[in-house]
Amino acid sequence: MPRIVVIGSANADLVLDIDHRPGAGETVLGSDVVVTAGGKGANQAVAAGRLGGDVAFVGCVGDDGYGELLRRSLADAGVDVTHLRTVPGASGNAIILLTPDGENSIIVSPSANRRVTVELLEESRAAWAGAAVVVLQLEIPLATVAHAATTAHAAGARVILNAAPAAALPPEVLAAADALVVNESEAAFLLGGVPAQAAEPGGAAATAVALLDLGPRSVVLTLGADGAVLAARGAEPGHVPARKVTAVDTTGAGDAFVGALAVELADGRDLRAAVELATDVAGVAVGRRGAQAAYPAREEVR
């Protein structure tokens, strides 16, 4: 039984460098397309595997060349792909527009990721229901996320829920999360408004506490260059600063964070220690090109 199971998406990332994001009706010229392995779920599994985590991935890829790319990238990181299903049709893909400041805009076409159904999960239930940590994101059907979160929680697993991309979540799913991991825009969506900015005194901490009131046992609010804020029931919120780096490519940095968080929590570290390592791992990732290709081994982090 793997200690960490990631249930989620796998996408081929189609990356274009552009000078600026196009406005309405505007055409811009970009670089040649570079294809790399990505997808929130696969990214998180690869990040955990690179750090030495005992991790398996449950998901779907298509029977195309992209599917082989995605399977190979996971396996090369030491991830167990026994329950990575190949289905007829196209693999998921993401079109990523990358500007010179390292920021990105992303459009995802789910394709094979839509086939990560409750029925598929039940076929591989023995692989994930008894894991120490189960990691979920929202690029697969929400019914699947809800089933996995509540079932894994009831079985005693620690459920890390990365609520991205933002979507409405039922109370029982939020209640299963320990931790709920979101960035500022995802927090705003869940709270139904714009959360206080990190620059305001206590603003990010107040946002994390408000998220805690939605039902999760703990919350991690990522703040990019400002680090992360964590909150847990019965404890004061805390802040972990980010390492100072020059951002080259922010694609997949949040996924690197979640993968590292899962490894530390599966190893019995407390939430703050886990967030500290996750922040360092994300700091390394943004200084390199790509998503999975940018993720460090543990010896590179410190």
Side-chain angles (χ1 to χ4, degrees), residues 107-119:
I107 302 171
V108 174
S109 174
S111 297
N113 295 309
R114 294 191 180 99
R115 306 282 289 276
V116 187
T117 61
V118 171
E119 291 74 21

Side-chain angles (χ1 to χ4, degrees), residues 187-204:
F189 181 91
L190 290 175
L191 294 172
V194 179
Q197 298 299 307
E200 299 176 10

Side-chain angles (χ1 to χ4, degrees), residues 120-146:
L120 181 140
L121 279 196
E122 282 301 296
E123 292 175 11
S124 59
R125 183 182 183 122
W128 57 270
V133 172
V134 172
V135 183
L136 296 160
Q137 339 70 36
L138 306 183
E139 287 184 341
I140 58 175
L142 290 179
T144 305
V145 174

Side-chain angles (χ1 to χ4, degrees), residues 277-294:
L277 178 71
T279 301
D280 285 346
V281 168
V284 173
V286 299
R288 302 172 174 177
R289 295 274 305 193
Q292 294 177 22

Side-chain angles (χ1 to χ4, degrees), residues 11-215:
N11 297 325
D13 288 347
L14 283 61
V15 184
L16 295 96
D17 289 286
I18 55 174
D19 290 332
H20 64 280
R21 291 174 182 80
E26 181 184 7
T27 299
V28 300
L29 292 177
S31 67
D32 292 344
V33 175
V34 176
V35 181
T36 61
K40 284 190 171 297
N43 286 350
Q44 292 166 9
V46 166
R50 290 266 175 83
L51 293 168
D54 177 16
V55 55
F57 181 71
V58 178
C60 289
V61 294
D63 57 359
D64 54 7
Y66 290 158
E68 287 302 312
L69 167 73
L70 296 167
R71 182 180 294 274
R72 186 169 59 250
S73 184
L74 284 158
D76 287 348
V79 177
D80 181 347
V81 293
T82 303
H83 299 283
L84 175 59
R85 182 74 58 85
T86 298
V87 298
S91 298
N93 59 73
I95 299 170
I96 301 175
L97 304 179
L98 184 65
T99 49
D101 59 359
E103 293 296 330
N104 58 64
S105 298
I106 303 174
I107 302 171
V108 174
S109 174
S111 297
N113 295 309
R114 294 191 180 99
R115 306 282 289 276
V116 187
T117 61
V118 171
E119 291 74 21
L120 181 140
L121 279 196
E122 282 301 296
E123 292 175 11
S124 59
R125 183 182 183 122
W128 57 270
V133 172
V134 172
V135 183
L136 296 160
Q137 339 70 36
L138 306 183
E139 287 184 341
I140 58 175
L142 290 179
T144 305
V145 174
H147 177 74
T150 54
T151 304
H153 174 67
R158 184 165 190 164
V159 176
I160 299 175
L161 175 61
N162 178 209
L169 295 169
E172 62 271 20
V173 174
L174 289 166
D178 186 13
L180 172 68
V181 183
V182 290
N183 64 21
E184 289 177 280
S185 65
E186 293 148 5
F189 181 91
L190 290 175
L191 294 172
V194 179
Q197 298 299 307
E200 299 176 10
T207 297
V209 171
L211 290 167
L212 203 60
D213 289 341
L214 297 179

Side-chain angles (χ1 to χ4, degrees), residues 195-292:
Q197 298 299 307
E200 299 176 10
T207 297
V209 171
L211 290 167
L212 203 60
D213 289 341
L214 297 179
R217 298 188 173 197
S218 62
V219 167
V220 178
L221 173 62
T222 60
L223 305 170
D226 291 318
V229 166
L230 57 145
R233 298 190 178 281
E236 289 295 316
H239 174 246
V240 175
R243 63 165 65 193
K244 301 302 179 184
V245 299
T246 299
V248 173
D249 184 356
T250 58
T251 305
D255 299 328
F257 183 101
V258 173
L261 191 76
V263 170
E264 292 298 273
L265 292 178
D267 284 346
R269 308 289 193 274
D270 63 29
L271 185 60
R272 183 176 183 90
V275 171
E276 287 172 350
L277 178 71
T279 301
D280 285 346
V281 168
V284 173
V286 299
R288 302 172 174 177
R289 295 274 305 193
Q292 294 177 22

